[in-house]
Amino acid sequence: MSRLGTMTRRGLMIGAAAIAGGVAFGTYRVMTPHANPLAKGLAPDAASFNPFVRVTPQGITLIAQHVDVGQGAASMQAALIAEEMDIAFGQFEIEQARPDPAYYNTAMADEAVPFMSTDTGRVAETMRGAMGAMIKLMGTQVTGGSTSVPDSFDKLRRAGAVARETLKAAAAVETGVPVDELRTSQAAVILPDGTEIAYTALAATAATLEPVTDVALRDASAWQLIGKPMRRLDIVAKSTGQQTYGIDLKIDGMVLGAVRCNPRKGGALNGFDASAAEAMRGVQQIVPLANGVAVIAENTWYALQALEVIDYDWGPAPYPAEQDDHWAAVAQAFAPDALDRVWRDDGDASSAVTDTPDVTVEYRAPYVAHQPLEPLSAVVRVTETQADVWASHQMPRFVQQRVAEQTGLAADQVVFHNQFAGGSFGHRLEFDNIDRATEVAMQLKGTPVKLMFSREEDFAQDYPRQIGMARAKGAVQDGQVTALDLEIATPSAVRSQMGRVGLPVPGPDTQIAAGAWNAPYAIPHFRVAAYAAPELALTSSWRSVGASTAGFFGESALDEVIHAAGADPMAERLRLVNDPVAKAVLEAVAEMSNWGSALSAGKGRGVALVNSFGVPVAEVIEVTQTAEGLRIDHVYVAADVGRIVDPVNFENQVQGGVIWGLGHAINSEITFSDGQVEQSNYYDAEGMRLYQAPEIHVRGLENAEKIRGIGEPPVPPAAPALANAIFAATGQRIREMPFNRHIDFI
C-alpha cells in the first residue's frame, strides 16, 4: 500500500507554523500586499503602479525581481510585463530589484513541502498554500529552484495589466474619452481618432490616480511575445563584450584586493608572516581576516602574487582529511539511526527483494564544484551610517541582513546593488565573497574595497555538491520489473546551506532522494529510503540539487532491473509510467530518437526519465564505441513545463543543462587530501570539452497544468541516460561518476 499521502512530521510542523501564523497575523495580513518599494522617493511627475513598473516623462523602467545569473531571467520577466502593458523590447529599461519583502517568491513553496509535484490532493495543496503564505509574510526574496518563471508568470502579467489600465485611466482624465473607447499599443494609449499619447506623457496624471487593480489578463490567442521566439535583451551586449558583470565594476576611490583563506574550509588561521609580501612592488596593505589574509595592492595581479609569498599557519579541517574517509562516512550512514525518511513505500519492496534479488548494485556520485566562469568578487564600502554592496547574489535580503550584522548597521542602512552574473549554478547562494569584502571594508572605513577570489581560491572555498552513494536491489517476473528497493545516503546539502544563514530545516530533507522517490512509475513494490550522512565537507545547492545524484542512482538502477527482466528499456518505462504528462514526454523522446530502429555495431542508446522541480524530462543518448574511445553522438530531450515563455531560450537552457550534466558526469569531481581540495582550476576539473559535445535535439511540450521552470530539470537525466547508453553499446555498466575513471571519451 502506498504511503505517499501520509502526513509527515515535517508536514505537521509546517502546518502548525502556518496555522500559528494565521492566528498571529490573521488572514487579512496574509492577503495584504507589501508596500510598493518604488513609491519611496518617487518624483511628483513619476508613476509606479506596483513594485514592477515605473513610468516617468523620461522613460519606462521594468523591475526584475529574479537576478539574472546567465539564464535569461531579466528578459523573461520583462517579456511578461511587456506582454500585458503593450510595450515592445527597446521601449523600456530593466532594473534589478532592491532587497524588499515585496519581491517574495511563493513558487519556492512547491519544493519546500514533502509531496510529489503530481499530487494535487487537498492536503498537498493546503500545505503548499500555507507555505506560500509564510513565504509572503517573511518576504523571502530568492532566485533558484527553477522558480523564476512559475513565480513570475501570473504576477508580472498582472503588474503589466495594472499599469496599462491605469495609464488608460490617466488618458481618460486628460482627454475626456471614456476608458472603454481607448486601446493601447507600442507604449502609447490610442484614442478613437488614432491619436497616440505616449505612456511617458501620461506619467504625471497617472501619478495622481489610484492603480486600477480590477484587470483581466489577455487570452493566449492575443499574445504578441509569450510563446514567440525572442532575442534576449542581453544578447548584443554579451556578444560584443559590452555586458558589465560584478567583476567589471569600478567605483570612484576604489582599492583593489585579493584574499586567501584556510584551504581546509572552516579551519582556523593560527598565524601568518607577511613580511616578504609587504616588501613587494605594488602592495599597499596587508589586512588580517578571521581565517585568512587579504592584500590591498595597486592592481589585482600584485595582490595575488603577494598572497603567494605569505607564510600561513593553517589549522586543521573540521572534516575528514582524506577522501577515502568521506566515502567511508557515507557508507556507514546506511544504518537505522541515520534514516532521514522512507519517501516511497509502495507494496512491500523489502520482502520482494529479500530472497535472491535479481539485481544488487551500488552507485557513487562525487563532490563537484560550481565553477562559474566569472570568479567570485564583491565591492563593499562601509561608513558610519551606510554600507553599499555591489555583487551578484540570489538572496538579496539575506545579503542585506548579513552585512548589517557584520557592520552593526540596521538592515535598511545596507544598500545592495545586485549585478549581472557570469554564471552561478548555485554558487551565488553563498556569501564568502561578500563576507570577506565586508570584513576588509570594516578596516578601511569609507573606502570602496573590491575583493577578488582567484580561480584557485574559488575552488578551495567552494561549497560543492553533496557526495552520495546508493544501494539498490530489484526483482523481476515474467519479463517485467516487479520490485525496486533503493537506498540513498548523502550529507544534507540543504541543512548545510540553510544552517549558514540561520534557518533550521525541520523534518527530513526533501532533496536527498529528490529525482528518485518522486519517479513517475507504478512499480508494484517500490521503496526509496533516504539516509542523512554526517556533514563532511560543507556543501550547498548545485544545479538541480539532490536530483543530480538521486536521478542518476534511480534511473541507472531501474535500467539494470529492466535488463534483468529482458525487457526493452523504453517499452518497460512506458508500461510502468503512471503520469500522463511524463508518459507523453517519454513517447516524444522515443519518437525523436527513432527508438527501436536498428543501430550499427558499436552503437548504443540509453534512456532516462527524471522529474525534478515538477518537470518531467526524458533524454535519449546515442553513443558509438570507437578504437580511440567513446563518442557521444546525439542527445534527444523532451520536457514539459506547462507553458514555454520563450522557445529560443527554452532550447538554450535545455542544451546548456545537458552539456552541464554530461560534462560533470564524465569529467569532473572534487576530492580531498590533507583536508584540502585537490582540484584547483578547470584543467583538473573539466567540464565537457568542445570536441566531446554531441548534437542536442530539443522538444518542449505544454501538457502540464502548472507552469514550471527549465533551468535545472535537464541536468539529472543526462548522467543515467549516458551510462545506460554506454551499457547498450559496450556491455559495461558504469556505476560511479566521473565516468572517465572507467572509459575514455573522444
Side-chain angles (χ1 to χ4, degrees):
M1 175 182 176
S2 174
R3 291 186 283 277
L4 280 174
T6 303
M7 180 66 77
T8 65
R9 174 176 172 268
R10 186 180 192 209
L12 286 169
M13 294 180 75
I14 293 169
I19 292 168
V23 171
F25 301 109
T27 303
Y28 176 79
R29 173 76 181 274
V30 174
M31 298 300 293
T32 301
H34 291 283
N36 179 4
L38 303 183
K40 185 178 180 180
L42 205 62
D45 61 350
S48 177
F49 319 100
N50 48 58
F52 304 100
V53 181
R54 181 174 62 238
V55 180
T56 73
Q58 291 73 42
I60 300 169
T61 303
L62 307 183
I63 307 302
Q65 166 181 340
H66 295 280
V67 62
D68 199 309
V69 292
Q71 81 282 40
S75 286
M76 176 275 297
Q77 292 169 95
L80 293 174
I81 300 171
E83 182 68 76
E84 290 288 340
M85 198 172 164
D86 269 341
I87 52 179
F89 280 20
Q91 293 186 305
F92 56 82
E93 299 292 331
I94 298 178
E95 185 178 294
Q96 184 64 51
R98 67 184 69 171
D100 196 274
Y103 300 113
Y104 59 89
N105 177 3
T106 54
M108 297 294 294
D110 279 2
E111 287 295 308
V113 297
F115 298 95
M116 293 182 73
S117 62
T118 54
D119 185 349
T120 56
R122 182 180 60 84
V123 174
E125 290 295 282
T126 298
M127 295 301 291
R128 291 185 186 109
M131 179 56 71
M134 289 183 65
I135 287 171
K136 179 182 177 182
L137 285 172
M138 294 171 63
T140 305
Q141 184 180 0
V142 59
T143 300
S146 290
T147 59
S148 294
V149 170
D151 178 61
S152 301
F153 192 77
D154 289 332
K155 178 165 62 179
L156 296 191
R157 287 189 300 135
R158 178 175 172 78
V162 168
R164 180 192 71 227
E165 293 305 314
T166 308
L167 288 162
K168 285 168 64 179
V173 169
E174 289 193 4
T175 66
V177 177
V179 169
D180 59 6
E181 295 182 18
L182 302 174
R183 59 188 180 89
T184 57
S185 179
Q186 297 290 299
V189 176
I190 304 174
L191 306 184
D193 63 1
T195 301
E196 297 184 4
I197 308 176
Y199 286 168
T200 51
L202 294 166
T205 301
T208 67
L209 305 177
E210 286 295 318
V212 178
T213 57
D214 185 10
V215 296
L217 300 183
R218 288 173 171 166
D219 186 77
S221 62
W223 288 345
Q224 300 296 310
L225 295 172
I226 299 173
K228 310 295 192 300
M230 304 180 203
R231 187 175 76 175
R232 271 173 43 176
L233 294 166
D234 55 352
I235 288 297
V236 172
K238 288 182 174 178
S239 300
T240 57
Q242 298 178 74
Q243 179 66 59
T244 299
Y245 298 94
I247 202 169
D248 301 318
L249 288 176
K250 296 179 180 178
I251 308 297
D252 289 343
M254 181 176 76
V255 298
L256 301 171
V259 63
R260 177 73 56 83
C261 292
N262 192 333
R264 302 181 184 103
K265 192 165 182 64
L269 171 63
N270 298 324
F272 67 94
D273 179 357
S275 55
E278 290 170 340
M280 290 179 67
R281 178 184 177 185
V283 172
Q284 298 172 337
Q285 190 171 349
I286 307 295
V287 182
L289 306 176
N291 72 332
V293 177
V295 174
I296 304 300
E298 290 179 13
N299 59 48
T300 304
W301 176 251
Y302 286 154
L304 291 171
Q305 294 304 298
L307 287 168
E308 293 294 326
V309 303
I310 295 175
D311 183 18
Y312 307 95
D313 179 10
W314 301 122
Y319 47 79
E322 302 303 323
Q323 185 62 38
D324 286 348
D325 295 326
H326 289 244
W327 286 118
V330 177
Q332 291 167 9
F334 290 102
D337 61 351
L339 180 65
D340 208 45
R341 186 188 176 194
V342 176
W343 283 98
R344 187 79 171 258
D345 201 2
D346 299 351
D348 190 354
S350 298
S351 298
V353 299
T354 297
D355 303 328
T356 64
D358 296 288
V359 171
T360 302
V361 288
E362 183 175 282
Y363 304 93
R364 289 188 174 194
Y367 295 115
V368 289
H370 291 93
Q371 58 194 80
L373 282 174
E374 181 195 0
L376 294 179
S377 68
V379 181
V380 178
R381 177 177 58 211
V382 178
T383 69
E384 296 300 327
T385 58
Q386 182 170 304
D388 285 272
V389 180
W390 293 266
S392 175
H393 205 277
Q394 294 169 244
M395 298 194 294
R397 295 193 70 210
F398 283 94
V399 170
Q400 192 179 45
Q401 186 60 44
R402 198 175 184 95
V403 174
E405 291 172 358
Q406 283 186 266
T407 59
L409 297 168
D412 61 6
Q413 292 176 292
V414 177
V415 181
F416 180 45
H417 313 267
N418 216 341
Q419 305 296 308
F420 266 91
S424 172
F425 316 112
H427 204 15
R428 298 179 197 279
L429 290 164
E430 297 292 343
F431 303 87
D432 281 19
N433 54 325
I434 296 171
D435 286 347
R436 300 292 80 76
T438 303
E439 199 173 352
V440 177
M442 283 289 289
Q443 300 180 59
L444 280 73
K445 286 282 186 73
T447 300
V449 175
K450 183 177 185 179
L451 200 65
M452 298 279 296
F453 280 46
S454 67
R455 181 70 65 194
E456 290 75 15
E457 189 70 6
D458 199 348
F459 268 80
Q461 300 302 323
D462 190 19
Y463 299 85
R465 180 187 73 182
Q466 69 280 351
I467 189 174
M469 297 176 64
R471 294 172 178 172
K473 294 181 179 180
V476 302
Q477 185 176 350
D478 300 327
Q480 296 181 341
V481 174
T482 57
L484 177 60
D485 192 356
L486 181 66
E487 297 184 323
I488 298 171
T490 77
S492 171
V494 172
R495 292 189 185 112
S496 180
Q497 180 182 4
M498 291 297 99
R500 288 188 288 279
V501 294
L503 292 179
V505 180
D509 177 0
T510 61
Q511 287 299 318
I512 291 177
W517 78 270
N518 56 338
Y521 298 124
I523 301 171
H525 305 285
F526 188 19
R527 176 177 175 269
V528 180
Y531 293 84
E535 182 166 79
L536 302 166
L538 301 175
T539 55
S540 185
S541 295
W542 186 89
R543 190 175 184 180
S544 75
V545 201
S548 68
T549 50
F552 169 62
F553 301 150
E555 280 296 292
S556 296
L558 177 60
D559 210 71
E560 297 210 45
V561 183
I562 290 173
H563 178 72
D568 176 79
M570 181 69 75
E572 183 66 353
R573 281 178 172 82
L574 285 169
R575 185 188 71 82
L576 292 170
V577 72
N578 62 352
D579 170 42
V581 176
K583 185 172 185 178
V585 164
L586 262 180
E587 290 172 337
V589 85
E591 184 270 326
M592 293 167 66
S593 63
N594 199 19
W595 186 277
S597 62
L599 293 173
S600 57
K603 288 185 176 291
R605 293 191 191 101
V607 60
L609 168 67
V610 179
N611 185 315
S612 63
F613 302 94
V615 179
V617 180
E619 297 180 16
V620 168
I621 296 182
E622 188 175 303
V623 302
T624 301
Q625 176 69 6
T626 75
E628 293 77 28
L630 192 94
R631 183 178 68 242
I632 307 173
D633 299 313
H634 296 276
V635 180
Y636 302 90
V637 191
D640 195 318
V641 293
R643 176 71 71 176
I644 298 171
V645 175
D646 176 4
V648 175
N649 202 44
F650 177 89
E651 182 178 27
N652 291 340
Q653 284 290 293
V654 172
Q655 291 172 333
V658 168
I659 292 293
W660 181 259
L662 290 178
H664 285 83
I666 69 176
N667 291 337
S668 298
E669 65 178 330
I670 290 295
T671 56
F672 289 86
S673 178
D674 189 28
Q676 302 178 51
V677 172
E678 294 186 284
Q679 296 74 21
S680 63
N681 212 315
Y682 288 126
Y683 55 77
D684 54 11
E686 293 183 349
M688 175 165 269
R689 303 302 296 268
L690 185 61
Y691 66 83
Q692 296 173 326
E695 187 174 355
I696 303 173
H697 314 263
V698 178
R699 183 178 299 177
L701 280 65
E702 298 181 305
N703 296 317
E705 290 187 11
K706 287 190 176 181
I707 293 170
R708 305 284 187 177
I710 196 60
E712 299 178 88
V715 175
L722 177 57
N724 297 337
I726 292 170
F727 173 75
T730 69
Q732 179 183 2
R733 282 287 183 190
I734 298 181
R735 303 185 178 104
E736 176 185 25
M737 296 189 280
F739 297 167
N740 64 5
R741 283 176 171 263
H742 309 281
I743 194 167
D744 293 327
F745 291 85
I746 62 170

